[in-house]
Amino acid sequence: MKKYFLIILLLLLAAFAVLAAIRWDAWFHNPDEDAYTAPEKPANVLLTFGDQEPTSRNVSWQCDSVVLPSHLELVCLADSDTTMVEATGEVFRSRNGVAAYYVARLRNLQPNGHYSYRVVTDGKASEWYDFRVGGTDKNRMSFLYVGDVQDTLGGSASRILRDAMHSHPSSEFLICGGDLIDRPNIQSWNEAFRDIDSISQHIPVLNVTGNHDYLKGVVVRLERRFPLVFSYFLDSMVGDNQVFTVCYGPAQFFLLDSNRELPYLLTQRHWLKQQLQKSRARWKIVVLHHPLYSIKGNNNLIQRWVFNDVIEDYGVDLVLQGHEHAYARMSRHGDDGRAITPVYTVSHCSPKMYRIQFNDRFDKYGISSRYYQTVDIVGDTLTLAAYEVYGKTLYDSLRIVKSGDNTFIADYGRSIPEYMEYTPEPGNKKDHAFAERVADYKRQHPERLKGLAK
């Protein structure tokens, strides 16, 4: 018996060694980082939220490779009153360079105030930017959401995001569902800042951690660079967990890090439960990277086991997710078959498209394209819309309506045809298998494709 046990163990170890050799790059290899020199003048200026108060803001930037005297000059445009806000700095040394990162924390801003600002390090100033303070209207709110951006170097995400902001100028902030960068190296960070340039200085940007934000290894590791850029994490982390919550208008947002190992996820579960228990917000929105209901098969089961019952039990209305590089949307359903909250969406804005599985629990799918979403709240109604970026067309739409203690979901997306065209690469067996799955889905759900034109 012992002999057979040893043989089985050796066979398992051999199989794991073969699999590890095949998957070595995917599991453990981190692409090289280009050598770089820190900018001599303030660069990569980013505006974001500061703490739970809707009128708080942080501004982060980079300059030089040592910490130098730095501040932010803030002008209230209503009365031209100027304030100097001291900044804190920290040096971060990556694999192939070193830079100093700064953050200025803006508090006690005037509700609905209009401000102009610039950042200054060692007497060297950025250009002037402006922003408006929103979040004080408890009856309305509007924001833009993108899943994974993860653009290639010199890609088109910057144009897509600019077009989205131009098409939805009432958007008060931007939320990213993780993997804003392709890998944690300077070339990807520079591309990400190019993607959000002209947006990130004027409206707050919120971003959760994605798996591509982590350095690979036997134990994955998040560089200090990430919270130095998205500076709200500097004050909100629970232990080593990148979590954050902010109240804005009628909603409260809860940001999670779904990339971590089980003990960290359980700490986040406790934090989320505490925050939801004491929340008095009319609308509750959770943002995390990994979909709790995967569209790639039986993935992310640990994340679902850890978080989903808390999300369902404590009245979360909307769960925004990324990671799986397609579009999908689902709701829970009651015993009578009626759709109920929370609504779960998966979305991405990346040039990389993934092959997915199809499951009848989802109410809407989208493949072979890139998407962004808008969320608008007016009183008792939340309107979610998804847009396909190439045709710049509405792809999905629903409303969540609250009436007293009752919540209703009106699904307008069912009347919008799904785009289900897929061309496999010649000779690629996985591509051809996916093309067959798409064909089966189209045969089974012709009602979702009616009137389709592209």
Side-chain angles (χ1 to χ4, degrees), residues 28-89:
F28 302 115
H29 175 67
N30 292 293
D32 293 336
E33 180 176 49
D34 292 347
Y36 66 93
T37 302
E40 295 180 356
K41 295 182 178 180
N44 298 334
V45 177
L46 184 141
L47 175 72
T48 189
F49 294 107
D51 54 33
Q52 290 195 36
E53 293 302 316
T55 58
S56 70
R57 299 290 183 271
N58 283 5
V59 176
S60 63
W61 69 95
Q62 300 161 38
C63 185
D64 216 310
S65 57
V66 295
V67 173
L68 298 167
S70 298
H71 66 273
L72 180 146
E73 295 174 4
L74 184 69
V75 179
C76 179
L77 298 182
D79 54 18
S80 298
D81 186 29
T82 302
T83 304
M84 188 177 76
V85 181
E86 294 293 333
T88 59

Side-chain angles (χ1 to χ4, degrees), residues 89-139:
E90 182 176 326
V91 172
F92 170 75
R93 184 178 297 276
S94 68
R95 288 171 290 153
N96 214 3
V98 58
Y101 290 72
Y102 300 88
V103 58
R105 295 168 171 83
L106 313 183
R107 304 295 183 263
N108 302 314
L109 298 173
Q110 294 181 11
N112 303 311
H114 188 188
Y115 290 89
S116 181
Y117 72 97
R118 68 176 183 176
V119 300
V120 182
T121 293
D122 197 33
K124 300 173 183 177
S126 70
E127 62 182 278
W128 286 93
Y129 307 105
D130 74 293
F131 68 92
R132 294 182 180 273
V133 179
T136 57
D137 188 340
K138 296 296 184 181
N139 198 49

Side-chain angles (χ1 to χ4, degrees), residues 10-26:
L10 289 172
L11 288 173
L12 289 173
L13 289 173
F16 178 78
V18 171
L19 181 61
I22 295 171
R23 298 287 295 168
W24 183 269
D25 282 356

Side-chain angles (χ1 to χ4, degrees), residues 1-10:
M1 182 64 70
K2 185 176 180 180
K3 177 181 177 181
Y4 290 121
F5 175 78
L6 290 174
I7 291 173
I8 292 172
L9 180 61
L10 289 172

Side-chain angles (χ1 to χ4, degrees), residues 48 53 62 68 93 96 105 119 122 134 139 152 165 212 217 221 238 245 254 261 279 299 331 363 368 372 380 425:
T48 189
E53 293 302 316
Q62 300 161 38
L68 298 167
R93 184 178 297 276
N96 214 3
R105 295 168 171 83
V119 300
D122 197 33
N139 198 49
T152 53
M165 288 301 304
H212 280 251
R221 178 171 60 86
V238 175
T245 184
F254 307 87
E261 299 81 8
S279 175
N299 294 340
S331 304
D363 301 310
S368 303
Y372 68 85
D380 292 334
E425 290 288 335

Side-chain angles (χ1 to χ4, degrees), residues 241 257 260-273 302 305-307:
N241 291 279
D257 183 355
R260 299 307 306 274
E261 299 81 8
L262 181 59
Y264 295 95
L265 295 179
L266 291 173
T267 299
Q268 293 181 46
R269 171 191 168 89
H270 179 69
W271 173 85
L272 178 63
K273 185 175 180 179
I302 292 176
W305 176 74
V306 170
F307 294 125

